[in-house]
Amino acid sequence: MESASFLTGARRDLAMEPDGSAAEAAPPAPTAPRTLKEAGIGLGQLSDLALKLLYLHGSLAGYEVAQELRLQFPLVDEALGFLKDQRCVEVTSGDTMGPVSQQFTLTELGRIRARDLFEQCRYVGPAPVPLADYAAQCRAQSVASVPCRASALRPAFDGFVLEEGLLDQLGAAVCSGRSMFLFGPSGNGKTEIARRLGRFLHEQGGEIFVPYAVDLDGAIVTVFDPSLHRPTDEHDAPGRDGRSIGEVVQETPKDRRWRRVRRPVLVAAGELTLDMLDLRHHPGSGYYTAPLHIKANGGVFLIDDFGRQIVDPRELLNRWILPLEEKLDFLTLATGRKVGVPFEQVTVFSTNLEPQSLMDAAFLRRLRHKLYIGPPSREMYRAILEQTCGQRGIDCPPDAVAYLFENYYVDGREPRSSDPRDLLEAAAAICRFRDESLRLDSTVLSEAARRHFCPLQAAASN
């Protein structure tokens, strides 16, 4: 089962102009095809989809078939006419507005052919878009096209204390649209930094377009995933949206085989395996589901806790050497044929392990932006502790930082950005047990510190 999480957001997709004003940052929508050639689909393939659709529904009006396949009715009418000539469908009723309102039903021959088609491929839904169109759209909506300046990026880190100069490094990484490697000791905010970058792109990176399905060398691969992609357009459910037939079949400039969504942010950690990075072929279905990193195209794919996956990290890195360099990935079909697909995303690797133990120089070179997230300085630590106390509505003792650094951050023990939060949680537990209001005086601080920094060896002996 695929395992990934999605960072949600509620703000409108905006980018920032040089003067700080907001501006839309969405690529042009794919235009509706006027012919089957423009749609990148053959008459036979479209007819097969219509046959399976009618088999499932029993009977549909012409405009409902067009709605389900997300194509303009003239293209669908061509397929329905072909099926009538082949004596696979018949018109049973409804001719008030011509073929668009006619009710189509399968004949016995049509049902036999539909059952045969289901044995080959069980996909029923919007017509797939050709790979060439998908690749062109991915390039047009690359993360590198997102306007990213300090004035736009800084609000994404409100309430998060950053080391001086780190925001500039993060902004440059986003502008490149390339890979990013965050490394350093645990507890210093690598995951939170990556998530906030993802939230910035999700909320302010503009909208992109994701197809329901792509035709990959004759195979259908589903891409749009409602559990991972957040649509910003209206889903047009046929016959259930209150519109008249005329309104439904009215030609629109947008290709409705694509959904307009916020830039996706996918997060995978220790559960990531190699098979999650290739096409998932559904046994007996005849179609495929795109892997996680392809669903992340146009957004961010965060591999958290890199090096702690079940699979050897070198195997994962070898899998990505070409995609990171060429922005092209090769997926393998059940037939063994490999097909190149776009790899247009910001891939973020985050680890607290030593980089030299995970990768060689050849791969390290392909990680364009390498950011060390180290222990906080004494001044930065003070800012974090004061902010954490402020969030809990208590005073921060003026000598708290000096006390901690003189008594606990000694003998090679380094402070962590997460320590103030953990200390406050320990203090809250102590005060709650004593039925006292939360405070961080010297007594509570020393007790919380003893518990938090207790050496495991000493704890075991007690």
Side-chain angles (χ1 to χ4, degrees), residues 117-133:
L117 290 171
F118 272 112
E119 290 297 319
Q120 303 169 34
C121 177
R122 294 184 178 275
Y123 175 80
V124 181
V129 304
L131 176 59
D133 289 0

Side-chain angles (χ1 to χ4, degrees), residues 62-331:
Y63 78 90
E64 292 177 314
V65 177
Q67 277 282 85
E68 291 284 356
L69 300 181
R70 299 300 194 275
L71 289 172
Q72 304 283 17
F73 179 74
L75 277 64
V76 174
D77 188 32
E78 192 173 341
L80 292 174
F82 172 78
L83 290 173
K84 282 196 295 184
D85 292 341
Q86 295 292 310
R87 298 181 179 176
C88 290
V89 302
E90 59 184 0
V91 177
T92 57
S93 64
D95 199 14
T96 57
M97 297 182 63
V100 68
S101 62
Q102 289 177 343
Q103 202 75 17
F104 291 88
T105 305
L106 293 181
T107 63
E108 183 58 33
L109 176 60
R111 284 189 287 273
I112 293 173
R113 286 192 56 182
R115 284 193 290 269
D116 290 341
L117 290 171
F118 272 112
E119 290 297 319
Q120 303 169 34
C121 177
R122 294 184 178 275
Y123 175 80
V124 181
V129 304
L131 176 59
D133 289 0
Y134 176 59
Q137 187 66 31
C138 284
R139 289 191 294 270
Q141 57 197 27
S142 166
V143 172
S145 65
V146 176
C148 179
R149 299 173 181 86
S151 59
L153 186 57
R154 191 173 292 112
F157 289 90
D158 284 347
F160 187 85
V161 180
L162 282 175
E163 183 181 359
E164 185 177 356
L166 183 57
L167 188 72
D168 294 336
Q169 298 179 57
L170 293 170
V174 172
C175 287
S176 74
R178 290 283 188 168
S179 56
M180 196 182 311
F181 184 54
L182 306 179
F183 67 102
S186 63
N188 290 310
K190 294 181 297 297
T191 300
E192 182 64 16
I193 287 171
R195 286 175 178 269
R196 287 180 179 245
L197 278 178
R199 190 172 294 117
F200 163 75
L201 288 170
H202 178 70
E203 296 179 359
Q204 300 193 50
E207 300 164 326
I208 63 172
F209 295 89
V210 175
Y212 283 98
V214 176
D215 187 326
L216 219 62
D217 196 33
I220 295 179
V221 179
T222 59
V223 179
F224 174 74
D225 186 337
S227 68
L228 300 175
H229 295 114
R230 294 295 182 264
T232 58
D233 57 1
E234 294 182 1
H235 180 63
D236 44 355
R240 299 188 181 93
D241 53 11
R243 293 182 295 170
S244 67
I245 294 178
E247 290 173 321
V248 170
V249 300
Q250 183 181 8
E251 293 189 4
T252 60
K254 176 192 171 185
D255 188 342
R256 293 183 296 113
R257 294 177 297 171
W258 301 73
R259 295 301 302 270
R260 189 177 72 232
V261 304
R262 295 182 184 274
R263 291 186 182 272
V265 182
L266 278 71
V267 183
E271 76 281 358
L272 185 65
T273 58
L274 282 176
D275 61 350
M276 293 170 66
L277 302 178
D278 214 335
L279 292 169
R280 172 181 289 182
H281 186 250
H282 301 276
S285 71
Y287 71 94
Y288 302 79
T289 298
L292 292 177
H293 62 292
I294 299 303
K295 293 179 180 180
N297 271 337
V300 176
F301 187 30
L302 167 61
I303 299 93
D304 203 11
D305 288 329
F306 180 66
R308 301 188 185 278
Q309 284 72 28
I310 300 174
V311 63
D312 189 292
R314 290 176 179 81
E315 292 185 50
L316 285 175
L317 294 176
N318 288 335
R319 174 67 178 79
W320 270 314
I321 283 182
L322 180 64
L324 289 174
E325 186 76 18
E326 304 293 336
K327 290 197 170 186
L328 182 72
D329 191 21
F330 283 91
L331 301 179

